[in-house]
Each structure stands twice: as structure tokens, then as C-alpha cells.
């Protein structure tokens, strides 16, 4: 028998989390700063995630009586504690789309001169980033000088840099080949080269600025604060001219070795939030310290110290509009035609179509991540945890005595 007395609670980790900072300083920050509704919701969700405020359940070991309390997740996409399972579900679904071909990683970056305009118009500027990047890649893919067919693209929006500053860029996973227009042939690309990056950057810049001009002409842009002068047509045209005169950044990484490496890559980029809990060092006396990688200094890992208000301001820069899709698919992978086109590509490549697997449960996903049986009692290692109490949101704390 287990030596642990019945009713013994299973210990929890006390590591610093973003939720600790939000619970301590979030209310004061909301009172003194003007926030968008989606930013208010994000702060409230992060503060209450996996607390009694959202309800939960209590499990008891059927062998030794040890108790484990589990509170419900907030499921907000900006919460660092709620993205791991979402990512695993997404990766499982996308696994069926992978083809036995090389894949390329292409990154499109917006100039920082657009940051202020993006803060006031995130939905417009972010959507335009997707459209301009995808149209650029699809145009090059259909050009017979390159591939001459339809490529597949998965695009993932990131708005941050390592220091939580605004860095608007799009990570694109692109097929190293294309489906011919008549669907009768798979066109293989070069093994180590996709498209010329300078030409990509030039076309991307032209498409984005043309879209930005259309948004202005259609009255889709709002101007306030530092962007107020841009409401004047001549001033706006002057800024577009300046942006047209500078080089925009597009780069392509070498192709991935195979589907497994593609999935590993996707897992690093798909459901990330601006700051994960494991980067936090400490907070106190009105300051927050967190780790960051300085790419300008040979990727050295450093610790940054920010006042709490500045830390929260930077974090909230990366809360995207409600309902905005941060991951989108184009070409062969477009949602409406994906199944048909990917299936046709498989046939041409001689790859059998995968059999549909039943969706994994939350418990199965968690066990896959941690590599242990989560139903097994962590105290005695002999019994199994059984749900004994369920409480709703806002109910009193579960009994762990």
C-alpha cells in the first residue's frame, strides 16, 4: 500500500507564469490605459486560466487516495498555457496534407515604418500581408520560367520580435513543386532553389503598396495619434513613395529534408504566442525580466528588464483582432479544394492516400506530449486517478485538504 495518507494533494509547479504578472498588475494597467475589447478579453482570460474562476474537477487515486485538482483552461489563443494541445491537434490534421517532396521556408517582412499604421488598423494590414505574400508566391509558381503550375502554401502570421517589439512578418511553408494547370502532371522544382528572393521582394512590395493604396481609397484605414497626418492624401502618397524607394526583406531558407522535418518546423511556428512562460525570469518592484535571443549579437541569449507597464504594452501589441485567422492556406492547400488537389498530387507522385484516423482525445494528446500515462497516480504509481468532483465556473475552491 502507498504510504501517502488518503486525501494527500499532488504538488504543483510554482514557476513564474505570465498569468502571475497579469493577476498582479493587469487591473491597474486596464484602468490607466485605453485598450481594445480583444485586449481586455485576453488579459482577463490569462488571469483566470486554470483557476477556480473557470471551474474544474478533482481526481482521486483509487489506490492511495491522493488528490489532484485540475482547473479548466481559458482557451484564449494569446494564453501561453493554452496553445500546446491546440498545436498538436492542428499538426495531426495537417499531417495528411504532406507530400513526399521538398518544402521551402519563405519569410515576408513588412518595414517597421508601417508599425504605427498597423497598430490602428491591424485587421486591414495583416490581411493585406497574407494576400500580397500569397499572390506573389502563386504568381511565381505559375510562371513557366519557374514552375508553371499551382503550388501549395501554408502562411503563419507573427507580429513580434524576441524583445516583444513589433516585427510584422509572415512565415510561409511552400511546396517545392507544382501541379500543372490541367492537373495531369506534377512539376518538380529544383532541389535547392525555389524562386529568386530579390524578385520576390520587388513583386511583394508592389502588391502590398498597391493594396494599401486601395484600402486608403476605399476608406478602410483609420488614422489617430501619430498617424493622423496620413489622412491627408498627399502625405499618404509621400509615405508610400518612401516605402517604394527602399528594399523590402524576403528570404528563403534551404529545403526541408522530409515530411517529419516539416512537421517539426510547423510545431515551432504555428501556435506560438508572443512570450512563452519558460522565457520569464522574475518580476518584482514594478519590473519584469525575461530571456531573449539577440540575433544582432550572434544569437546570444540575454535577459531584458522592462517596467511592468512597458512589458504589458509590448505583449498586448501582439493580440490580434477577434476572429482573425493567423494561419491560412493557399493554392493546392486552399481549404475549399485541398482534399481534391492534394489527392491528385498524391496520385501523380505515387503516394498512397492516408486512411482517416479517429481524432485523438485530450488525454491521448497530453500523454503523447509528456510520454507518460496521465491516468496513473503520480504518488503511488499503482492506482489510477478517477474524477470524483466537478465544479462550475466561479465555484469555491476544490477541497485539496
Amino acid at each position: 500500500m502507498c504510504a501517502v495518507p488518503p486525501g494527500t494533494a499532488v504538488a504543483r509547479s510554482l514557476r513564474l507564469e505570465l498569468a502571475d504578472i497579469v493577476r498582479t498588475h493587469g487591473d491597474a494597467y486596464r484602468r490607466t490605459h485605453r485598450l481594445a475589447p480583444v485586449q481586455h478579453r485576453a488579459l482577463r482570460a490569462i488571469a483566470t486560466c486554470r483557476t477556480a474562476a473557470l471551474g474544474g474537477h478533482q481526481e482521486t487515486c483509487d489506490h492511495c487516495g491522493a488528490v489532484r485538482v485540475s482547473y479548466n483552461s481559458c482557451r484564449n489563443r494569446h494564453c501561453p498555457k493554452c496553445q500546446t494541445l491546440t498545436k498538436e491537434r492542428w499538426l495531426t490534421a495537417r499531417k495528411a496534407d504532406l507530400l513526399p517532396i521538398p518544402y521551402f521556408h519563405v519569410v515576408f517582412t513588412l518595414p517597421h515604418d508601417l508599425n504605427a499604421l498597423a497598430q490602428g488598423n491591424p485587421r486591414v494590414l495583416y490581411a493585406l500581408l497574407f494576400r500580397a505574400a500569397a499572390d506573389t508566391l502563386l504568381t511565381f509558381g505559375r510562371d513557366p520560367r519557374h514552375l508553371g503550375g499551382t503550388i501549395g502554401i501554408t502562411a503563419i502570421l507573427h507580429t513580434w520580435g524576441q524583445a516583444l517589439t513589433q516585427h510584422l512578418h509572415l512565415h510561409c511553408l511552400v511546396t517545392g513543386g507544382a501541379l500543372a494547370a490541367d492537373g495531369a502532371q506534377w512539376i518538380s522544382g529544383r532541389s535547392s532553389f525555389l524562386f529568386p528572393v530579390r524578385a520576390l521582394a520587388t513583386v511583394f512590395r508592389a502588391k502590398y503598396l498597391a493594396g494599401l493604396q486601395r484600402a486608403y481609397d476605399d476608406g478602410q484605414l483609420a488614422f489617430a495619434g501619430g498617424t493622423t497626418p496620413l489622412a491627408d492624401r498627399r502625405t499618404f502618397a509621400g509615405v508610400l513613395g518612401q516605402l517604394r524607394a527602399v528594399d523590402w526583406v524576403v528570404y528563403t531558407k534551404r529545403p526541408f529534408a522530409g515530411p517529419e522535418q516539416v512537421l517539426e518546423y510547423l510545431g515551432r511556428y504555428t501556435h506560438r504566442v508572443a512570450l512563452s512562460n519558460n522565457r520569464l525570469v522574475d518580476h518584482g518592484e514594478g519590473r519584469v525580466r525575461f530571456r531573449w535571443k539577440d540575433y544582432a549579437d550572434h544569437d546570444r541569449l540575454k535577459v531584458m528588464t522592462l517596467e511592468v507597464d512597458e512589458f504589458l504594452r509590448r505583449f498586448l501589441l501582439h493580440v490580434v483582432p477577434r476572429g482573425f485567422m493567423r494561419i491560412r492556406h493557399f493554392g493546392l492547400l486552399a481549404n475549399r479544394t485541398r482534399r481534391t488537389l492534394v489527392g491528385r498530387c498524391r496520385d501523380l507522385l505515387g503516394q498512397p492516400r492516408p486512411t482517416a484516423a479517429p481524432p485523438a482525445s485530450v488525454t491521448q494528446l497530453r500523454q503523447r506530449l509528456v510520454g507518460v500515462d496521465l491516468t496513473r497516480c503520480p504518488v503511488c504509481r499503482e492506482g489510477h486517478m478517477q474524477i470524483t468532483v466537478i465544479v462550475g465556473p466561479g465555484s469555491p475552491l476544490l477541497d485539496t485538504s
Side-chain angles (χ1 to χ4, degrees):
M1 292 289 292
C2 177
V4 179
T8 299
V10 177
R12 297 188 196 150
S13 170
L14 296 178
R15 70 176 185 177
L16 177 63
E17 297 180 346
L18 177 62
D20 299 320
I21 300 170
V22 173
R23 282 193 285 266
T24 303
H25 304 282
D27 287 344
Y29 188 86
R30 281 193 289 263
R31 288 194 299 268
T32 55
H33 294 77
R34 184 178 178 181
L35 303 181
V38 69
Q39 294 173 321
H40 279 288
R41 283 192 290 269
L43 289 179
R44 285 195 298 268
I46 292 170
T48 58
C49 186
R50 300 185 190 179
T51 68
L54 298 183
H57 65 269
Q58 178 176 298
E59 299 170 300
T60 304
C61 176
D62 59 11
H63 181 72
C64 72
V67 174
R68 178 167 64 193
V69 174
S70 296
Y71 294 120
N72 294 331
S73 301
C74 68
R75 299 185 181 180
N76 188 286
R77 57 176 163 171
H78 303 99
C79 175
K81 289 189 291 189
C82 289
Q83 298 310 302
T84 302
L85 290 180
T86 304
K87 178 192 74 175
E88 288 301 315
R89 287 196 188 98
W90 189 88
L91 288 177
T92 299
R94 296 286 70 78
K95 187 175 182 179
D97 298 333
L98 291 175
L99 299 171
I101 59 171
Y103 285 82
F104 290 82
H105 178 192
V106 185
V107 182
F108 294 84
T109 302
L110 291 183
H112 288 179
D113 290 342
L114 288 171
N115 284 356
L117 189 62
Q119 289 176 29
N121 303 273
R123 191 180 296 275
V124 175
L125 268 71
Y126 296 169
L128 182 54
L129 174 55
F130 276 105
R131 288 199 300 271
D135 286 351
T136 298
L137 288 169
L138 290 170
T139 297
F140 273 77
R142 290 171 181 142
D143 189 330
R145 293 175 297 177
H146 299 295
L147 289 171
T150 302
I151 60 175
I153 306 165
T154 294
I156 306 156
L157 173 69
H158 280 185
T159 63
W160 58 84
Q162 279 281 305
L164 292 185
T165 51
Q166 207 167 5
H167 180 56
L168 308 177
H169 57 289
L170 203 65
H171 293 273
C172 298
L173 183 69
V174 185
T175 57
L179 180 65
D182 60 2
Q185 178 186 2
W186 174 259
I187 306 168
S188 298
R190 302 186 204 177
S191 60
S192 59
F193 176 81
L194 185 63
F195 307 130
V197 291
R198 288 189 178 182
L200 282 174
T202 299
V203 174
F204 169 60
R205 179 183 61 192
K207 288 182 177 293
Y208 193 92
L209 293 179
L212 198 57
Q213 181 66 62
R214 286 193 299 271
Y216 180 90
D217 294 338
D218 294 342
Q220 297 177 7
L221 300 177
F223 304 100
T227 64
T228 300
L230 296 179
D232 176 74
R233 182 169 292 275
R234 288 188 177 180
T235 303
F236 188 81
V239 169
L240 291 191
Q242 294 171 7
L243 290 168
R244 198 172 288 113
V246 298
D247 293 332
W248 286 32
V249 178
V250 175
Y251 73 87
T252 303
K253 290 187 176 180
R254 65 181 183 179
F256 297 96
E260 293 78 13
Q261 191 179 10
V262 174
L263 281 178
E264 182 182 346
Y265 152 79
L266 285 174
R268 291 199 298 265
Y269 286 91
T270 51
H271 293 80
R272 287 178 60 188
V273 295
L275 185 80
S276 58
N277 283 328
N278 60 16
R279 289 178 57 196
L280 293 170
V281 177
D282 58 45
H283 93 286
E285 299 181 351
R287 294 182 177 86
V288 177
R289 296 200 309 147
F290 63 93
R291 300 179 187 87
W292 68 294
K293 187 178 292 185
D294 189 350
Y295 295 121
D297 188 15
H298 307 288
D299 295 352
R300 289 183 180 174
L301 194 63
K302 300 180 179 181
V303 174
M304 178 169 291
T305 302
L306 295 177
E307 298 293 328
V308 167
D309 275 16
E310 176 61 13
F311 173 82
L312 290 175
R313 184 194 72 82
R314 292 193 188 187
F315 177 80
L316 291 172
L317 282 175
H318 313 297
V319 173
V320 298
R322 188 174 188 178
F324 189 87
M325 302 301 294
R326 287 185 54 244
I327 305 174
R328 303 188 185 189
H329 309 278
F330 304 91
L332 298 176
L333 300 177
N335 293 329
R336 287 181 294 178
T337 56
R338 174 193 294 143
R339 181 175 297 180
T340 299
L341 294 183
V342 171
R344 179 57 181 158
C345 293
R346 288 190 189 282
D347 294 341
L348 293 171
L349 291 165
Q351 182 187 45
R353 303 195 182 197
T355 56
S361 66
V362 171
T363 299
Q364 289 172 328
L365 287 171
R366 286 176 175 164
Q367 290 182 175
R368 187 186 305 166
L369 289 170
V370 300
V372 298
D373 182 359
L374 294 177
T375 66
R376 181 78 63 180
C377 176
V379 177
C380 69
R381 305 292 180 184
E382 296 182 26
H384 289 81
M385 306 302 291
Q386 307 288 338
I387 295 178
T388 53
V389 179
I390 297 177
V391 297
S395 298
L397 287 173
L398 301 176
D399 180 17
T400 59
S401 60

